[in-house]
Amino acid sequence: MYIIEGNDILVQVRDHRILDVDCVRLAKGKVFAVIGPNGSGKSTLLRVLSLLQKPNTGYITFKGKKVLPGEQIKIRRKMAVVFQESLLLDTSVLNNVMTGLKIRGIDHSAALKTAQYWLERFKVSHLSNRWAKAISGGEAQRVSLARAFAMEPEVMFLDEPFSNLDAPTREELLDELSEVLHSTGVTTFFVSHDFEEVAFLADNAMALMDGKPVQEAPPKEIFSNPVNEALSKFVGAKKRRKWRI
Ligand SMILES: Nc1ncnc2c1ncn2[C@@H]1O[C@H](COP(=O)(O)OP(=O)(O)OP(=O)(O)O)[C@@H](O)[C@H]1O
Ligand SMILES: [Mg+2]
C-alpha cells in the first residue's frame, strides 16, 4: 500500500521548471530517499509531498485518496518534517517537544511523559531545561527529531537532517535514527545529497537531476548501475575521494 503518491507534479518559477515528476510513491513502512546534487529539486519535492507547497500542476494522494483543497491541514497533522536547520522555538528544550502535543489537545502529564521518552531516546533528556537556542547544532537536531517522533506521525519527512553535523556526530545519529525508524516502522521520506546516508537508511531511492527523476531503485542498484554519466559521477565522488587518501 502507498501512503503518499505524487502524480504529474510540476513546479515552475517564472519560466523555469524546477520540478517535473510524473510519479513518486511512498510505500507504507518503508524509507524512501531522494538523492541529487544541490538545486536538483529535492526540498521542493519534499514540500510538495508534505503539503507545504502547492505544485503548479499535479496532485497528491494520501492512502489512495486525492487530497482535496481544504483537507491539507487535517492531513498535515499525520505528517512531521525535520529540516536541515532545526527551527526550534524560543523556549526550553522540553517545551519544544511538548508544545506540538499540547496543541493537539494532549493533557500536560501525557505530553510530559511522551516528550521525556523521546528526549531520552535521542539522548538529550539531560538538556530538557536548557534554552533551545543555546544548544549545539548536533543537540538541536536530536531535539528536532525527538519533537517530530513525539507527534507519532504516519509519515516522517527528513530534509538533510545531518548535513550540518561533524562526521562522528553524524555517524552516531545515523545509527540512532536507523534504529528508531526500524522500531517504529514509520513511513519515511528522506532527502540527502550524501549517498552513504541513503545507502544506510533507505529501502528505495530516487535520483533527481535538474528537477527530473533519472533513476528509481534500491540504493545499491543506483550505486552499482547508475543510469547515466552525471549520476555515476555524483554517486562516485566520495568513492574516488576515499581512494586518493
Ligand atoms: N521560490 C523559489 N523561487 C525561485 N527559485 C526557486 C524557489 N524554490 C526553489 N527554487 C530553485 O529551484 C531549484 C531546486 O531547489 P531545491 O531547494 O528544491 O533544491 P535541492 O535539491 O533541495 O537543493 P539543496 O541540495 O541545495 O538543498 C533551485 O535551483 C532553486 O534555486
Ligand atoms: Mg534542499
Side-chain angles (χ1 to χ4, degrees):
M1 200 229 329
Y2 296 110
I3 299 260
I4 292 183
E5 291 175 58
N7 298 287
D8 307 317
I9 304 294
L10 209 62
V11 176
Q12 194 150 326
V13 176
R14 289 175 291 278
D15 56 352
H16 183 46
R17 192 169 279 195
I18 58 177
L19 194 65
D20 183 355
V21 176
D22 285 346
C23 177
V24 52
R25 299 192 288 205
L26 309 195
K28 187 174 164 49
K30 300 286 183 195
V31 179
F32 183 89
V34 172
I35 182 128
N38 292 130
S40 54
K42 306 180 296 295
S43 297
T44 307
L45 181 58
L46 178 141
R47 287 194 301 273
V48 166
L49 293 179
S50 60
L51 308 174
L52 292 170
Q53 177 174 347
K54 208 171 153 350
N56 295 66
T57 63
Y59 62 94
I60 308 298
T61 66
F62 185 77
K63 292 185 177 169
K65 279 199 202 145
K66 191 169 172 177
V67 178
L68 300 172
E71 286 182 334
Q72 277 99 339
I73 292 177
K74 192 179 83 198
I75 296 174
R76 275 277 307 135
R77 291 205 190 106
K78 301 175 196 292
M79 306 173 176
V81 187
V82 175
F83 296 99
Q84 186 174 351
E85 309 294 336
S86 17
L87 305 174
L88 295 176
L89 303 172
D90 195 3
T91 175
S92 72
V93 162
L94 182 63
N95 270 337
N96 262 277
V97 184
M98 284 180 72
T99 300
L101 296 165
K102 285 173 133 182
I103 290 171
R104 296 258 171 104
I106 294 167
D107 73 58
H108 183 85
S109 66
L112 179 63
K113 218 169 141 193
T114 304
Q116 283 171 333
Y117 171 81
W118 283 104
L119 286 168
E120 186 85 37
R121 191 113 189 229
F122 280 103
K123 300 190 174 145
V124 277
S125 57
H126 60 292
L127 303 174
S128 293
N129 296 322
R130 289 268 296 278
W131 183 40
K133 299 278 176 187
I135 58 176
S136 79
E139 291 164 346
Q141 273 317 47
R142 287 173 183 276
V143 175
S144 299
L145 287 164
R147 179 172 65 175
F149 280 96
M151 303 303 283
E152 294 182 356
E154 288 188 49
V155 191
M156 180 65 79
F157 289 90
L158 305 171
D159 194 349
E160 312 216 29
F162 310 114
S163 55
N164 285 333
L165 309 180
D166 64 43
T169 308
R170 180 172 148 261
E171 294 291 310
E172 207 181 295
L173 197 48
L174 261 171
D175 276 337
E176 285 165 30
L177 179 64
S178 165
E179 193 270 310
V180 170
L181 289 179
H182 287 113
S183 65
T184 57
V186 64
T187 307
T188 303
F189 184 85
F190 174 61
V191 166
S192 178
H193 60 254
D194 186 299
F195 201 78
E196 277 180 359
E197 284 178 11
V198 168
F200 184 65
L201 285 181
D203 299 293
N204 234 328
M206 173 188 271
L208 210 57
M209 293 203 139
D210 294 327
K212 289 201 179 93
V214 292
Q215 189 168 4
E216 187 178 333
K220 277 186 197 140
E221 167 73 19
I222 297 182
F223 190 61
S224 48
N225 287 312
V227 282
N228 63 31
E229 187 64 22
L231 186 58
S232 168
K233 257 178 140 168
F234 181 69
V235 299
K238 218 165 192 169
K239 208 168 50 177
R240 277 197 309 279
R241 203 163 60 234
K242 273 195 178 150
W243 275 107
R244 258 189 255 132
I245 293 167

